[in-house]
Amino acid sequence: MTQPKRIVLWGTGVVGSMVLAEILDHPLFELVGVGVSNPDKVGVDAGVLAGRSDVATGVLATDSVEDLIALKPDALVHYGPTAQYAEENIRVMSAFLRAGIDVCSTAMTPWVWPAMKQNPAPWITPIEEACAEGGSSCFTTGIDPGFANDLFPMTLMGLCGRVDSVRASELLDYTDYEGDYEDEMGIGRPPEFTPLLEIPDLLIMAWGATVPMMAEAVGIELDDITTTWEKWVTPNDRRTAKGVIEAGNVAAIRFTINGIFKGREVIVLEHVNRIGLDAAPDWPTGSGNDVYRVDIEGSPSIVQETAFRFTDGSGRAPAVAGCLSTGIRALNAVPAVNDLPPGWVTPLDLPLIAGVGTIR
């Protein structure tokens, strides 16, 4: 076992609080600081924020970036808000990077592939300058976009002699999901409402980073990236963890982001998100409920389905289990990111991350 990595964690929402609970028992990581943006959490013990009120860690949350940097951690694991709050994310992360502290984050999903042309310069230049100044590295991951549609399909493509097409799909029931989907996806809104992600450029920027990444990985340059968007309107009221979606409103959405090469779709990312397993019955499903699926047509053709579940009796939804894996991917990457040269880190730069210290 290597020497534990000293960790500062920023952001104690759904993902960050679950990762915090895992760090408290992990032999490879030592929690030295917790950063929060909610003033009500300042001064609260990390154990309480992790849902572990029985554990007094002595690590009290703070909103002071300067105080956390002064702890000189090996890395910041950052679970801040989405790219909708890019300015705040960049403020926090760039401060650590300028101080020479590596950052592993789930917040800015367009940074999964920083070379994506849709990334605006004000999102890229400050991080590059901070990494250069501090000699530090910045890695962003997620589940989708992220490992479910980059690591999984790229690994499977490495088992093929020829790939005609690869499709990575998220097939989830959002009934018990408490994340944001109304304005972003239009779920729960009238069908005439245009959600943010229905706008092609925004959809590609927010979710499409792994399409050009996979093209780069297999040595091709895409001719174009296109999108599709479909809505399904519920004929009856549907109860969710966030309230009731009334009949006549959108209760399922399906979109694709398509990498075009030589006139055909060769790399496709697909989302099918439902409120209720019976919603949009003609749209794709997995062989089991709530799965991430990879379909490769080629030589050979390959199908892989991955399910994230809690088996601890807590009753937490599969989507929440996927959120935990999202956060843990960033945490477990810390030792590898520490060993890499300064600058952006993508999945193409990382070695196999097997999860040192997970079996104990």
Side-chain angles (χ1 to χ4, degrees), residues 54-320:
D54 59 314
V55 178
T57 68
V59 177
L60 305 182
T62 179
D63 57 4
S64 171
V65 172
E66 294 75 17
D67 288 352
L68 293 170
I69 289 173
L71 297 171
K72 297 183 179 180
D74 292 301
L76 168 72
V77 288
H78 178 270
Y79 304 109
T82 66
Q84 186 177 352
Y85 302 91
E87 186 174 334
E88 174 64 9
N89 288 330
I90 291 170
R91 179 188 74 85
V92 173
M93 287 189 272
S94 62
F96 282 86
L97 293 166
R98 283 195 302 271
I101 299 165
D102 293 338
V103 174
C104 295
S105 178
T106 61
M108 298 285 290
T109 50
W111 291 354
V112 169
W113 186 241
M116 179 176 63
K117 66 180 182 180
Q118 284 80 8
N119 271 306
W123 287 11
I124 298 298
T125 303
I127 297 300
E128 291 179 342
E129 291 177 346
C131 288
E133 181 179 339
S136 52
S137 299
C138 185
F139 171 58
T140 295
T141 183
I143 186 169
D144 181 2
F147 61 84
N149 60 25
D150 59 47
L151 179 65
F152 289 179
M154 288 192 295
T155 300
L156 295 174
M157 285 192 287
L159 308 179
C160 299
R162 187 192 75 255
V163 172
D164 300 321
S165 67
V166 56
R167 176 180 292 257
S169 303
E170 177 182 285
L171 308 171
L172 294 186
D173 178 5
Y174 271 12
T175 298
D176 295 323
Y177 182 59
E178 297 186 40
D180 297 330
Y181 53 61
E182 294 88 351
D183 292 341
E184 294 78 5
M185 294 182 172
I187 296 175
R189 300 288 193 233
E192 61 270 18
F193 175 80
T194 300
L196 291 173
L197 293 175
E198 190 176 349
I199 302 169
D201 286 346
L202 289 181
L203 180 60
I204 293 170
M205 182 176 70
W207 247 278
T210 58
V211 172
M213 179 201 297
M214 283 192 280
E216 173 78 13
V218 298
I220 63 171
E221 184 174 346
L222 296 173
D223 304 321
D224 196 8
I225 299 177
T226 64
T227 68
T228 66
W229 190 278
E230 299 177 69
K231 306 173 185 181
W232 183 85
V233 174
T234 179
N236 53 277
D237 291 356
R238 291 175 181 263
R239 191 169 300 278
T240 78
K242 302 176 73 175
V244 175
I245 295 178
E246 296 180 351
N249 288 331
V250 174
I253 60 99
R254 179 187 185 187
F255 68 73
T256 64
I257 304 172
N258 316 296
I260 310 300
F261 179 66
K262 294 184 177 180
R264 70 184 197 274
E265 296 176 354
V266 294
I267 300 171
V268 177
L269 306 186
E270 177 181 45
H271 261 232
V272 177
N273 299 121
R274 299 174 162 91
I275 302 297
L277 295 172
D278 62 330
D282 296 332
W283 291 358
T285 59
S287 59
N289 299 329
D290 297 299
V291 299
Y292 289 83
R293 179 181 173 107
V294 177
D295 291 276
I296 294 176
E297 293 291 334
S299 180
S301 295
I302 301 174
V303 176
Q304 177 207 56
E305 289 187 351
T306 304
F308 298 89
R309 302 287 189 268
F310 286 106
T311 56
D312 57 3
S314 64
R316 290 176 289 177
V320 181

Side-chain angles (χ1 to χ4, degrees), residues 18-40:
M18 288 193 293
V19 175
L20 193 57
E22 299 289 337
I23 292 177
L24 296 183
D25 297 324
H26 204 296
L28 188 62
F29 302 108
E30 176 190 354
L31 183 72
V32 297
V34 175
V36 295
S37 55
N38 183 345
D40 293 338

